[in-house]
Amino acid sequence: MNELQKKILALKKERDCLILAHYYQPLGVQDIADAVGDSFALAKRAQSASQRGIIMCGVRFMAESAKILNPGKTVWLPAEDAGCPMADTIVPADVLALKKQYPEAAVVCYVNSTAAVKAVSDVCCTSSSAEAVVRSLPNRQILFVPDKNLGAYIAKQLPDKEVILYDGCCPIHDGVSLQQAEAAKRAHPEAKLLVHPECRKEVVALADYVGSTAGILETARKDPAGSFIIGTENGVTDILVRELPLSHIYALKPDFICPDMKKTTLEDVLACFEGRRTPIELPQAELDGARKSLERMIAVQ
């Protein structure tokens, strides 16, 4: 552990702050976090936080979610320009137009979305909770926003539901082609392909396992001498390479990187303690509406 990491850990204790980091964050940032997880795990951890402050090492929608679920806390996003291209594909007016077109449908909003979009949705979900959330709803019609790939995967798992898809996606996961996935399997025929459901349906169909980042990690950890091709952001590959030295871990492609997730540096985290970052603030209407959607998600077991 370097001196900057030690300084941050001392300040974290002194200032009574909780540091959370997503699996896609740089390893050095993960190493100073109190909890590292996927969006679902981080949302639950933020909701139960007892510390005065929360530093969310991730992208903006994650910091917004932490503020929504624990509005009495001060929440910082270290890399203030870390956004989410998928979240930018949809605005509240799009959701309201769909609700008018399909009045009997429930709106399930992927957590990779703005607080304003969450506020006009019925319930949120993450990749690890999406199937359970959709299954729990009495509505036959489901408006799934904004990720068409995750929505299509859930529709296949739940054929009794009519899942209406919005044309949004994660450009990082959607950017993986079938040809790239096939090439990875040819290069490593002994390896199991583990992919995130944000990938295209033809890539998902090729996989040996489909699941959230947490699910991909858990699957690989169960076989510490196994061989795996990791079909999600390279942060997960980095974790597994470090954790499982006896395993054979391969990235599906070398540039499987979310630039926004990689923006956070240790200097950015330090800046939160030194007053060089502005705490997350949201309009009351967004806080109230989005909290209902997120709390409904967390309540689904």
Side-chain angles (χ1 to χ4, degrees), residues 63-90:
E64 288 183 347
S65 294
K67 182 65 177 180
I68 291 161
L69 288 166
N70 214 330
K73 307 299 182 184
T74 303
V75 178
W76 293 275
L77 177 66
E80 293 182 309
D81 62 340
C84 173
M86 184 196 299
D88 294 339
T89 65
I90 190 167

Side-chain angles (χ1 to χ4, degrees), residues 207-287:
D208 298 289
Y209 172 83
V210 182
S212 67
T213 48
I216 289 171
L217 284 162
E218 181 182 0
T219 299
R221 286 164 174 161
K222 286 179 179 176
D223 186 4
S227 296
F228 303 98
I229 300 165
I230 306 303
T232 191
E233 212 273 351
N234 283 351
V236 174
T237 304
D238 293 340
I239 292 170
L240 291 172
V241 167
R242 183 165 73 170
E243 281 189 15
L244 305 175
L246 298 180
S247 291
H248 300 281
I249 306 294
Y250 310 103
L252 194 158
K253 60 174 187 171
D255 59 343
F256 207 150
I257 293 170
C258 173
D260 284 279
M261 279 288 190
K262 293 296 192 275
K263 286 181 176 178
T264 312
T265 67
L266 291 170
E267 286 288 350
D268 292 323
V269 178
L270 179 63
C272 297
F273 291 111
E274 295 182 341
R276 294 185 282 119
R277 295 293 182 269
T278 303
I280 296 290
E281 295 292 344
L282 295 166
Q284 193 63 45
E286 288 184 14
L287 281 170

Side-chain angles (χ1 to χ4, degrees), residues 20 53 56 63 90 110 123 127 130 138 154 158 167 176 215 225 227 239 242 248 265 267 291:
L20 302 176
M56 179 61 77
I90 190 167
Y110 192 28
V123 59
S127 54
I154 298 305
L158 302 174
D167 191 20
V176 179
S227 296
I239 292 170
R242 183 165 73 170
H248 300 281
T265 67
E267 286 288 350
R291 186 179 308 120

Side-chain angles (χ1 to χ4, degrees), residues 31-291:
D31 289 341
I32 50 91
D34 296 286
V36 179
D38 63 6
S39 298
F40 188 58
L42 295 180
K44 291 195 293 183
R45 189 68 181 83
Q47 184 185 42
S48 64
S50 60
Q51 291 86 347
R52 288 185 297 174
I54 300 172
I55 296 175
M56 179 61 77
C57 301
V59 296
R60 179 155 294 273
F61 77 79
M62 295 177 182
E64 288 183 347
S65 294
K67 182 65 177 180
I68 291 161
L69 288 166
N70 214 330
K73 307 299 182 184
T74 303
V75 178
W76 293 275
L77 177 66
E80 293 182 309
D81 62 340
C84 173
M86 184 196 299
D88 294 339
T89 65
I90 190 167
V91 296
D94 298 320
V95 179
L96 295 175
L98 285 169
K99 290 174 77 169
K100 187 174 181 180
Q101 188 177 353
Y102 300 97
E104 302 301 316
V107 179
V108 177
C109 177
Y110 192 28
V111 74
N112 298 40
S113 55
T114 65
V117 168
K118 291 180 176 73
V120 294
S121 301
D122 294 302
V123 59
C124 288
C125 74
T126 62
S127 54
S128 57
S129 67
E131 183 176 342
V133 166
V134 173
R135 191 187 299 276
S136 73
L137 295 169
N139 312 65
R140 180 177 173 275
Q141 277 192 333
I142 304 295
L143 287 167
F144 197 95
V145 301
D147 185 9
K148 62 184 179 183
N149 291 329
L150 177 59
Y153 175 73
I154 298 305
K156 189 172 182 180
Q157 308 311 304
L158 302 174
D160 57 316
K161 300 284 189 180
E162 181 189 352
V163 181
I164 300 153
L165 303 176
Y166 182 80
D167 191 20
C169 67
C170 166
I172 310 304
H173 286 88
D174 189 69
V176 179
S177 69
L178 175 61
Q179 292 73 24
Q180 288 173 317
E182 289 174 335
K185 286 180 73 75
R186 284 195 302 271
H188 310 289
E190 78 292 352
K192 293 180 179 178
L193 175 61
L194 316 180
V195 309
H196 196 285
E198 287 180 16
C199 291
R200 299 179 191 179
K201 61 182 179 181
E202 58 266 29
V203 174
V204 167
L206 197 65
D208 298 289
Y209 172 83
V210 182
S212 67
T213 48
I216 289 171
L217 284 162
E218 181 182 0
T219 299
R221 286 164 174 161
K222 286 179 179 176
D223 186 4
S227 296
F228 303 98
I229 300 165
I230 306 303
T232 191
E233 212 273 351
N234 283 351
V236 174
T237 304
D238 293 340
I239 292 170
L240 291 172
V241 167
R242 183 165 73 170
E243 281 189 15
L244 305 175
L246 298 180
S247 291
H248 300 281
I249 306 294
Y250 310 103
L252 194 158
K253 60 174 187 171
D255 59 343
F256 207 150
I257 293 170
C258 173
D260 284 279
M261 279 288 190
K262 293 296 192 275
K263 286 181 176 178
T264 312
T265 67
L266 291 170
E267 286 288 350
D268 292 323
V269 178
L270 179 63
C272 297
F273 291 111
E274 295 182 341
R276 294 185 282 119
R277 295 293 182 269
T278 303
I280 296 290
E281 295 292 344
L282 295 166
Q284 193 63 45
E286 288 184 14
L287 281 170
D288 294 341
R291 186 179 308 120

